[in-house]
Amino acid sequence: MNGIPNSPQPLWRDTTIDSFPQLDRDMETDVTVIGSGITGITTAYFLVKKGFKVVLLEAGKVINGTTGYTTAKLSAQHGLIYDHLIRTFGKETAKKYYLANQEGLHYIDDIRTDLKIDCDFSYQPSIVYSAAPSGNRKIEKEAEAYKDLGIDGGLADNSVLPFPIQSAVKMNQQAQFHPLKYLKSLLIYLKQKDTHIFENTRAVDIKKGTLPEVKTRKGHSVLSDHVVIASHFPFKDLNGMYFARLHVERSYTIAVKTNGPPPKGMYLSTEEPKKSLRHALGSNGEELLLIGGEGHTSGQSENTYNHYEKLKEFAEKNFSVKDIPYRWSSQDISTLDRIPYIGPITRNNPNIYVATGFAKWGMSNGTVAGKVISDLITGNGSPYEKLFSPSRFNASQDVKNFTKENMDVAKELFKGKLHRKETDMENLQPNEGGIVNYRGKKLGAYKASNGGVSLVDTTCTHMGCDLQWNTAECSWDCPCHGSRFTPSGEVIEGPATKPLKNYHN
Ligand code: FES
């Protein structure tokens, strides 16, 4: 790509993280945590501090899911959400949501202070701006909501952004940090406390019961009093209908070296496609401007490179760009009513917990999730149990969004392979994927840089939707619930747990 790294270069992953072994035996413990992003690691941290024995299972490498690919804003300002929350749920719920996320931010500050973690943490104002007059009313209403809820902030009068804006609402004393430096230290803490951490250990099933049993792909099991599914999209549904209640979006980030310092503060536009800005330090201590956005439903973009190009255009139009050394993308999951699902997976399974649907705000919400779930497990109770309960139901919001989401999935299922554009295998360029006709079958083909071709059945192993080739990340992505697979069919992220059917050329 012109001026953008050809392959994904995530900024945070420059940090070296310890490796962990694969689970090679059956085990028993107090709590099994599945997933090693900020939610899983924070849950384990709080539990271990209370004296619980924890086994942490990771399907791939630790901190290599969404947490490794975030913009790492640590904020209770989740776009324009408070006016929506007051109108939908009332003031009390809106205030609780704010307080929960403020606590999430402060837990991170407390933990990094306690463990003396140098993770580039700094307090910053968080600002949502509108670049068009049509956004002014929404901004004003959000500022009114801040006043009603006693949120520290309000309308922002001046802007340091180098382009004109119409209006903005600011939340004071929010923060940003380096997520991998922070979580790396938590993993070291867990290791020192003899926590068992396993990589390359994919959980594929949970047998429910008084002592739920987690089964791994290699055939081992972990028996425990409690299980926490912190694997982003829950791979096990247990009749919770999560597949019908979650929406998955892919968005993109570039890190830009600018001539002159990037603007201080954290920014988000109201207009679509959204633009997110913050500054950060690169691995050599150089100042960078992170520009994120260009979100779309996962697996539903014909050419994902275009989204990086659009971010680059935005950067060049508004900043003096010297270089773009990093680029990455990630998936975010939203719930029907914009509040995460944190708590028992269903009412009938009180010892199996889930934490998902943080939208783009996984740093604060993921930390809150770790605290809420560990409080429920240790029997302390949580003031946020009801707010985040996955079993809640909000008739007006849920029915509307449930219908829209499932119509979209039904459309993708129906479309199947019927309308797929085919290409000739010989025409595939190195590092390119596409649908080919191979001995009368429509298959997904990928040509590696050495000329070798991988052939897979592009039927998603979760619920059968047809996968879309992701040009920028070289993966097969599902348009229904966001499962992703490598060119040779291995699962990158779920809810799918089984690889694609592989064909030998
Ligand atoms: Fe559900 Fe693919 S992730 S069908």
Side-chain angles (χ1 to χ4, degrees), residues 225-465:
D225 296 315
H226 305 271
V227 172
V228 181
I229 305 175
S231 57
H232 209 206
F233 201 118
F235 70 97
K236 188 79 185 167
D237 202 82
L238 292 172
N239 297 326
M241 300 279 285
Y242 288 89
F243 64 88
R245 298 198 284 151
L246 294 170
H247 172 77
V248 188
E249 274 216 356
R250 174 154 290 275
S251 61
Y252 303 81
T253 303
I254 56 174
V256 178
K257 270 190 209 166
T258 51
N259 289 304
K264 298 294 178 258
M266 306 182 293
Y267 298 85
L268 184 68
S269 70
T270 52
E271 288 81 28
E272 298 285 348
K274 294 210 188 314
K275 299 287 181 301
S276 162
L277 307 171
R278 66 158 276 196
H279 62 286
L281 291 177
S283 39
N284 300 321
E286 72 278 26
E287 282 209 293
L288 298 168
L289 173 65
L290 310 190
I291 305 178
E294 284 292 319
H296 60 83
T297 301
S298 194
Q300 294 190 18
S301 175
E302 286 283 319
N303 184 348
T304 47
Y305 276 130
N306 286 344
H307 301 285
Y308 287 112
E309 294 290 352
K310 291 262 169 57
L311 290 179
K312 181 175 164 239
E313 273 169 40
F314 174 84
E316 287 173 343
K317 185 171 163 210
N318 295 299
F319 299 91
S320 173
V321 175
K322 219 163 42 171
D323 189 16
I324 303 179
Y326 298 95
R327 63 118 163 150
W328 65 95
S329 76
S330 68
Q331 285 194 168
D332 295 297
I333 301 177
S334 315
T335 64
L336 297 174
D337 61 12
R338 295 178 67 185
I339 297 179
Y341 298 136
I342 302 168
I345 190 163
T346 62
R347 286 205 176 93
N348 295 335
N349 295 285
N351 54 1
I352 301 175
Y353 298 82
V354 73
T356 189
F358 304 151
K360 295 180 191 333
W361 308 104
M363 299 297 102
S364 54
N365 271 324
T367 304
V368 171
K371 184 72 172 93
V372 170
I373 291 177
S374 59
D375 280 347
L376 296 179
I377 288 175
T378 54
N380 291 337
S382 166
Y384 305 116
E385 181 176 0
K386 196 167 152 227
L387 171 71
F388 292 119
S389 168
S391 303
R392 69 182 180 270
F393 179 70
N394 177 282
S396 63
Q397 279 287 309
D398 287 8
V399 170
K400 193 171 75 191
N401 291 337
F402 180 93
T403 309
K404 182 179 169 304
E405 188 59 30
N406 289 290
M407 290 285 283
D408 196 38
V409 168
K411 195 179 79 194
E412 290 298 330
L413 266 168
F414 178 73
K415 209 162 69 177
K417 294 182 173 52
L418 288 177
H419 305 289
R420 302 304 298 273
K421 245 196 308 181
E422 281 177 40
T423 181
D424 283 337
M425 198 125 77
E426 301 72 53
N427 291 343
L428 284 177
Q429 299 302 305
N431 298 318
E432 191 183 351
I435 300 295
V436 298
N437 191 322
Y438 181 73
R439 296 182 184 163
K441 264 186 186 322
K442 276 192 184 190
L443 296 179
Y446 168 74
K447 188 179 274 181
S449 47
N450 65 6
V453 175
S454 309
L455 283 170
V456 292
D457 182 343
T458 55
T459 309
C460 180
T461 55
H462 177 229
M463 289 174 73
C465 288

